[in-house]
Amino acid sequence: MFKRIQTLLTQKETHKKVTIRGWIRTRRDTGSFSFLEVNDGSCLANLQVIADKDLPNYEEDVSKLSAGCSVVVAGTLQESPAKGQDVELQAESVEVVGWADPESYPLQKKRHSLEFLRSISHLRPRTNALGAVTRVRSRLSFAVHSFFQKRDFAQVHTPIITTSDCEGAGEVFQIRASGETKEKPFFGQQAGLTVSGQLQAEVYALSLGQVYTFGPTFRAENSNTSRHLAEFWMVEPEMAFCDLDCNIELATDLLKFVLQDVLANCVEDLALFDTFVEKGLVKKLQDVVNKEFVHITYTEAVDQLSMLKGTFEYPVEWGVDLQSEHERYLSEILYKCPVIVTDYPASIKPFYMRLNDDEKTVAAMDILVPGIGEIVGGSQREERLDVLTRRMNEAGIDLEEYGWYLDLRRYGTVPHAGFGLGFERLVQFTTGMKNIREVIPFPRTPGFAPC
Ligand code: 4AD
Ligand code: MG
């Protein structure tokens, strides 16, 4: 019976006849047999196969196997006398499905740099590191959905093609249908790729009460940093009858829940990252789950940071946005834990954030984490029609174009709030990967590799 290697290594049912399918990692020959290390992607570990020299195709096939070849092996699972593994497969047949020329196959048995692996994004998931990242990413995604579904949030598939620029930062990729003009590129109208599903999520929150969207978002920023992508995935809940405090509570619960889930379900993969990528990673994640996050206001953050003259490339003063170096200083050095920063100046935040009574700040919140900086950005939304229109006018936004958004305030408006969790930044934090390009299968940054 065909089995995944992870199942075999967990169940350890010796004396059973099984068939596995996977790719050769290494072959080692001894006097009367060969050891084949086979990986099928189900887990980090390889299954050791014993292929005796008296197999009918030993000379012709087995003795020529090398890294990357695909095989189907049938045999009997038995206890392994070797250290570090409980079971091995005594092969009764080894079928070679596809050869991989050892002269040209790029993934030979040595450690390749992550930079090199980026240049072969079609082969890199076959490595231990990228295979583990992919499994952890998948589990995190599953945990995100579990979290919201358990709490009775409805998932809304917000559009990729939109007319709105939620963040107003001028980072929209305009789209143009072939044959259409530059002025009216989408069959007679302007349209772009979404920078955030928030505005449409608000529509549904104000009818279904609590919703979330989890999909790809796009930012036309020509930046080459370790935490920015032109295409990234965002988790965006939106809740009616919710203020900033309830928003903070949800974001905190979400982060703790998904990390706890991964700690419980990706033990082997996290151990790999803990050893080779970030020492102390597991302890860091456990601390996030078990300890309280720090909560400070933007003004308090600026007070702390502006005392440290000469520490930063960009000086800090009230009214300027926090840079990555400031965010990291707060979470990595000063507090050594996730830090929730609230009440940013209205002048540096988008039009939809609710104006505080001081008329200078908005009910915004960012969550900063060690090693990355901002991982979550959100706010209570401006639910007052008069204040919202004033803010939109100040920002130079065409009120007519956003008539549908204003209708939400005209008809049954309620306090509501939501946030966006950058999914790749979450995967970076969970795996310890320093560069965001390692945690998405096909990173889209300026000059990306073809695929
Ligand atoms: O802070 P941002 O821009 O917030 C929004 O888009 C809101 N509309 C979300 C909402 O309230 N529903 O982005 C949210 C998060 C950031 O905190 C960051 O983690 C991530 O998205 N992010 C990026 N991740 C990778 N590459 C980029 N270029 C990113 N820009 C933002
Ligand atoms: Mg932000």
Side-chain angles (χ1 to χ4, degrees):
M1 197 176 37
F2 159 69
K3 289 267 185 179
R4 298 269 279 168
I5 289 174
Q6 192 209 16
T7 313
L8 295 179
L9 294 178
T10 323
Q11 295 178 345
K12 298 176 193 162
E13 290 178 328
T14 49
H15 312 298
K16 277 227 163 152
K17 291 226 184 267
V18 292
T19 303
I20 59 160
R21 307 185 288 210
W23 291 266
I24 298 288
R25 283 292 175 82
T26 59
R27 190 197 85 233
R28 194 159 49 86
D29 301 330
T30 66
S32 56
F33 59 89
S34 294
F35 289 113
L36 308 174
E37 294 288 336
V38 180
N39 189 281
D40 69 358
S42 60
C43 59
L44 192 62
N46 304 323
L47 183 64
Q48 178 164 285
V49 171
I50 313 292
D52 289 340
K53 287 195 170 164
D54 55 16
L55 284 170
N57 63 340
Y58 183 86
E59 279 308 317
E60 195 184 330
D61 291 339
V62 178
S63 69
K64 295 179 188 146
L65 283 170
S66 58
C69 294
S70 48
V71 290
V72 176
V73 183
T76 307
L77 207 62
Q78 60 188 26
E79 263 174 50
S80 173
K83 267 199 191 142
Q85 57 184 22
D86 297 327
V87 289
E88 60 188 20
L89 185 63
Q90 177 67 51
E92 279 143 34
S93 73
V94 177
E95 180 198 342
V96 183
V97 181
W99 293 99
D101 181 358
E103 293 300 312
S104 59
Y105 187 60
L107 296 176
Q108 295 305 326
K109 200 190 171 201
K110 63 171 188 158
R111 268 180 86 186
H112 298 284
S113 75
L114 294 168
E115 288 77 16
F116 167 71
L117 293 177
R118 257 176 247 148
S119 70
I120 47 166
S121 57
H122 59 301
L123 295 173
R124 70 174 183 167
R126 297 181 184 197
T127 61
N128 281 342
L130 271 289
V133 166
T134 309
R135 282 184 296 271
V136 169
R137 183 180 168 113
S138 169
R139 185 71 209 188
L140 280 170
S141 169
F142 179 71
V144 164
H145 286 292
S146 308
F147 176 83
F148 287 115
Q149 297 291 335
K150 274 186 195 152
R151 289 180 178 227
D152 194 26
F153 279 61
Q155 185 188 7
V156 178
H157 294 116
T158 50
I160 305 284
I161 299 175
T162 176
T163 55
S164 54
D165 175 6
C166 177
E167 295 306 290
E171 292 178 339
V172 176
F173 280 108
Q174 295 297 334
I175 51 174
R176 184 160 158 196
S178 64
E180 295 293 307
T181 63
K182 206 171 166 197
E183 288 66 42
K184 302 279 166 121
F186 185 83
F187 311 112
Q189 68 181 117
Q190 288 284 351
L193 299 179
T194 188
V195 298
S196 157
Q198 175 199 322
L199 303 186
Q200 290 90 355
E202 282 185 58
V203 170
Y204 274 79
L206 294 183
S207 43
L208 277 80
Q210 42 188 29
V211 300
Y212 71 105
T213 179
F214 182 3
T217 49
F218 307 85
R219 306 260 166 119
E221 48 191 341
N222 195 354
S223 52
N224 234 320
T225 79
S226 59
R227 53 174 219 157
H228 288 95
L229 292 163
E231 175 180 301
F232 63 98
W233 287 63
M234 217 197 308
V235 179
E236 296 182 274
E238 195 68 35
M239 294 151 291
F241 305 100
C242 174
D243 61 9
L244 191 65
D245 288 338
C246 122
N247 206 24
I248 290 172
E249 198 180 314
L250 188 83
T252 309
D253 288 353
L254 171 64
L255 286 174
K256 287 177 183 271
F257 178 90
V258 297
L259 294 180
Q260 192 159 29
D261 183 286
V262 168
L263 280 165
N265 291 291
C266 300
V267 174
E268 202 190 13
D269 290 328
L270 291 184
L272 175 86
F273 300 130
D274 200 313
T275 310
F276 293 108
V277 180
E278 180 182 324
K279 293 260 178 293
L281 176 83
V282 169
K283 167 87 168 55
K284 174 189 87 174
L285 299 177
Q286 285 165 342
D287 283 350
V288 173
V289 170
N290 296 323
K291 293 187 181 167
E292 289 215 3
F293 296 1
V294 165
H295 179 172
I296 55 171
T297 64
Y298 166 88
T299 304
E300 286 162 350
V302 168
D303 286 347
Q304 300 267 17
L305 294 166
S306 54
M307 287 194 294
L308 302 155
K309 294 219 177 345
T311 308
F312 304 116
E313 189 183 345
Y314 297 95
V316 187
E317 59 177 274
W318 204 95
V320 302
D321 209 355
L322 299 183
Q323 300 292 324
S324 155
E325 57 173 347
H326 309 132
E327 295 173 347
R328 290 184 56 177
Y329 184 88
L330 289 170
S331 56
E332 228 164 284
I333 295 169
L334 200 55
Y335 295 109
K336 298 186 172 51
C337 71
V339 179
I340 305 162
V341 182
T342 58
D343 305 292
Y344 284 75
S347 56
I348 57 168
K349 289 290 184 187
F351 69 93
Y352 56 72
M353 294 192 174
R354 192 181 197 279
L355 198 61
N356 287 330
D357 291 344
D358 62 12
E359 298 259 325
K360 284 203 304 236
T361 59
V362 283
M365 62 132 183
D366 278 6
I367 301 184
L368 321 176
V369 293
I372 291 173
E374 179 189 345
I375 193 167
V376 166
S379 74
Q380 185 171 340
R381 318 306 187 189
E382 185 54 77
E383 86 283 11
R384 297 162 298 187
L385 183 63
D386 55 337
V387 184
L388 183 60
T389 47
R390 172 154 62 89
R391 292 265 286 142
M392 288 172 81
N393 279 325
E394 283 164 9
I397 294 167
D398 183 349
L399 295 189
E400 233 172 82
E401 231 179 81
Y402 285 82
W404 60 274
Y405 189 67
L406 294 170
D407 270 358
L408 303 176
R409 280 70 182 171
R410 288 191 184 105
Y411 309 125
T413 193
V414 291
H416 62 289
F419 61 85
L421 164 65
F423 189 60
E424 283 71 26
R425 293 192 187 174
L426 173 66
V427 185
Q428 262 191 288
F429 183 68
T430 310
T431 58
M433 284 292 173
K434 298 286 168 284
N435 196 313
I436 199 163
R437 290 166 181 79
E438 265 65 90
V439 299
I440 186 163
F442 301 100
R444 279 9 181 170
T445 49
F448 67 87
C451 192

